[in-house]
Amino acid sequence: MNILSIQSHVAYGHAGNSSAIFPLQRMGLEVWPVHTVMFSNHTGHGAWRGPVIAADTVRDVITGIEERGVLPNCNAVLSGYMGSADIGDVILEAVDKVKTANPEAIYCCDPVIGDYGRGVFVREGIPEFFRDNVITHADILTPNQFELELLTGQAVTDLDSALSAAHALRETGAEIILVTSLERENTDPTKIEMMAVSREGAWLVETPKLVFPIPLNGSGDATTALFLAHYLKHRNVRSALEHIAGAIYALFETTWRAESRELMLIAAQDFLVSPPKTFTAVSVSDIR
């Protein structure tokens, strides 16, 4: 299987494509990476160097891939952080090209906008561009809880409100919503949840919450990549949710034990494919 991944890239550490490509490859998928920025390191460090790639340059790279005649063999387009609305337009153009060449291809979008504690950290206009343009084209959306609230305009505090917001996103056209982090009121503060919602049902999975001195950058990129890889191979939302719960927890645990500021993707590479711990996803209908 082949994935066209259009995201930011960093030379040091892991974020954007440098957090997504390796997990996809370890899961056995071929990746065609197109970078939207080329930074020395992720912006969580507070200082970085390197260029934002012009939208026309990104478009030109994608056109070059198209000219190889390989788009009919592309199984999915993956996107994450967008540096500008112009880049968003290029990504949507690429999605249209891929789906025209292969109607079975899917678009998986991680709507990177912000998070609790940091607020919105993208350029002005990007949240609105995701809300008004991108999410209506996606087959899979993977917001965190903060982004879920922002995209739907709904507060998420408990299971009912989380489901309501996820279904509101599905009504925009996405088949599958993966909420990559969920912390509900009156739940165990030492745990963190993820939730997946599709037309087949809704599931929650819970893992221990590891507390880091500084929030890890790139974890959402790896989570989305692993979910997409597993889903493409097995077409089972619940199984994909359980896989990423085990894989990402193992990645976090490896990083936490190493006291690393960067995700330890290489050290945890075997766990990405075969997680050492299993976390069972529970049907929401069994909880309510």
Side-chain angles (χ1 to χ4, degrees), residues 15 19 27 30 60 71 73 86 95 105 107 109 122 133 153-154 203-204 217-218 224 226 230 274 280:
S19 186
M27 290 288 286
E30 192 71 44
D60 200 38
L71 292 190
N73 301 320
D86 289 346
V95 170
Y107 173 33
C109 172
V122 295
N133 297 278
Q154 299 184 24
W203 299 269
L204 276 173
N217 288 69
T224 297
L226 286 168
H230 193 281
S274 300
T280 302

Side-chain angles (χ1 to χ4, degrees), residues 3-8 14-20 24 36 76-84 87-88 91-92 95 106-115 118 121-122 126-127 129-131 134-148 151 169 174 176-181 194 216-228 244 248 263:
I3 310 297
L4 175 62
S5 182
I6 310 171
Q7 300 194 56
S8 59
H14 299 287
N17 264 336
S18 58
S19 186
L24 288 168
T36 58
V77 178
L78 172 62
S79 73
Y81 176 85
M82 295 182 186
S84 67
I87 294 294
I91 291 172
L92 293 183
V95 170
I106 62 176
Y107 173 33
C108 179
C109 172
D110 180 7
V112 180
I113 297 171
D115 204 352
R118 298 179 64 190
F121 51 66
V122 295
I126 295 297
F129 187 82
F130 272 116
R131 186 193 63 213
V134 177
I135 65 174
T136 61
H137 291 76
D139 299 292
I140 301 175
L141 284 168
T142 64
N144 59 33
Q145 187 171 346
F146 177 89
E147 291 157 348
L148 179 63
L151 289 171
L169 269 191
I176 299 167
I177 307 299
L178 170 68
V179 185
T180 58
S181 60
M194 290 189 283
L216 293 176
N217 288 69
S219 57
D221 306 315
T223 300
T224 297
L226 286 168
F227 183 86
L228 174 62
I244 62 167
I248 294 301
L263 289 172

Side-chain angles (χ1 to χ4, degrees), residues 35-63:
H35 303 327
T36 58
V37 308
M38 183 61 201
F39 289 164
S40 55
N41 50 271
H42 64 67
T43 59
H45 287 281
W48 64 92
R49 293 179 181 270
V52 174
I53 310 300
D56 284 343
T57 301
V58 176
R59 181 181 286 111
D60 200 38
V61 172
I62 295 170
T63 299

Side-chain angles (χ1 to χ4, degrees), residues 64-78:
I65 297 172
E66 180 185 18
E67 290 170 347
R68 304 285 69 75
V70 296
L71 292 190
N73 301 320
C74 184
N75 301 98
V77 178
L78 172 62

Side-chain angles (χ1 to χ4, degrees), residues 10-288:
V10 297
Y12 172 77
H14 299 287
N17 264 336
S18 58
S19 186
I21 293 170
F22 184 66
L24 288 168
Q25 292 172 331
R26 283 293 282 121
M27 290 288 286
L29 281 67
E30 192 71 44
V31 187
W32 307 338
V34 177
H35 303 327
T36 58
V37 308
M38 183 61 201
F39 289 164
S40 55
N41 50 271
H42 64 67
T43 59
H45 287 281
W48 64 92
R49 293 179 181 270
V52 174
I53 310 300
D56 284 343
T57 301
V58 176
R59 181 181 286 111
D60 200 38
V61 172
I62 295 170
T63 299
I65 297 172
E66 180 185 18
E67 290 170 347
R68 304 285 69 75
V70 296
L71 292 190
N73 301 320
C74 184
N75 301 98
V77 178
L78 172 62
S79 73
Y81 176 85
M82 295 182 186
S84 67
D86 289 346
I87 294 294
D89 287 332
V90 173
I91 291 172
L92 293 183
E93 289 171 14
V95 170
D96 287 341
K97 286 183 177 182
V98 168
K99 288 195 170 191
T100 298
N102 177 14
E104 299 301 315
I106 62 176
Y107 173 33
C108 179
C109 172
D110 180 7
V112 180
I113 297 171
D115 204 352
Y116 293 122
R118 298 179 64 190
V120 172
F121 51 66
V122 295
R123 289 183 181 179
E124 185 177 350
I126 295 297
E128 293 78 13
F129 187 82
F130 272 116
R131 186 193 63 213
D132 300 335
N133 297 278
V134 177
I135 65 174
T136 61
H137 291 76
D139 299 292
I140 301 175
L141 284 168
T142 64
N144 59 33
Q145 187 171 346
F146 177 89
E147 291 157 348
L148 179 63
E149 290 184 328
L150 192 148
L151 289 171
T152 62
Q154 299 184 24
V156 175
T157 58
D158 55 17
L159 186 54
D160 285 342
S161 59
L163 277 174
S164 175
H167 284 303
L169 269 191
R170 285 198 69 242
E171 288 175 1
T172 66
E175 284 290 318
I176 299 167
I177 307 299
L178 170 68
V179 185
T180 58
S181 60
L182 183 61
E183 296 184 69
R184 297 178 287 137
E185 294 177 350
N186 303 317
T187 56
D188 187 345
T190 67
K191 307 287 186 180
I192 191 165
E193 296 172 319
M194 290 189 283
M195 182 177 71
V197 180
S198 73
R199 60 185 172 186
E200 285 82 25
W203 299 269
L204 276 173
V205 66
E206 179 185 81
T207 65
K209 182 180 180 180
L210 297 174
V211 179
F212 292 84
I214 301 174
L216 293 176
N217 288 69
S219 57
D221 306 315
T223 300
T224 297
L226 286 168
F227 183 86
L228 174 62
H230 193 281
Y231 179 75
L232 283 174
K233 295 175 74 172
H234 302 284
R235 299 291 172 162
N236 187 302
V237 174
R238 179 176 183 174
S239 176
L241 179 63
E242 291 178 336
H243 179 87
I244 62 167
I248 294 301
Y249 178 74
L251 172 60
F252 278 8
E253 190 174 43
T254 302
T255 304
W256 184 76
R257 289 183 176 180
E259 298 182 352
S260 173
R261 177 69 178 83
E262 306 292 339
L263 289 172
M264 300 292 287
L265 279 174
I266 307 305
Q269 62 180 289
D270 292 337
F271 303 152
L272 304 180
V273 180
S274 300
K277 294 181 181 178
T278 301
F279 299 96
T280 302
V282 179
S283 173
V284 168
S285 61
D286 294 335
I287 301 172
R288 301 176 76 187

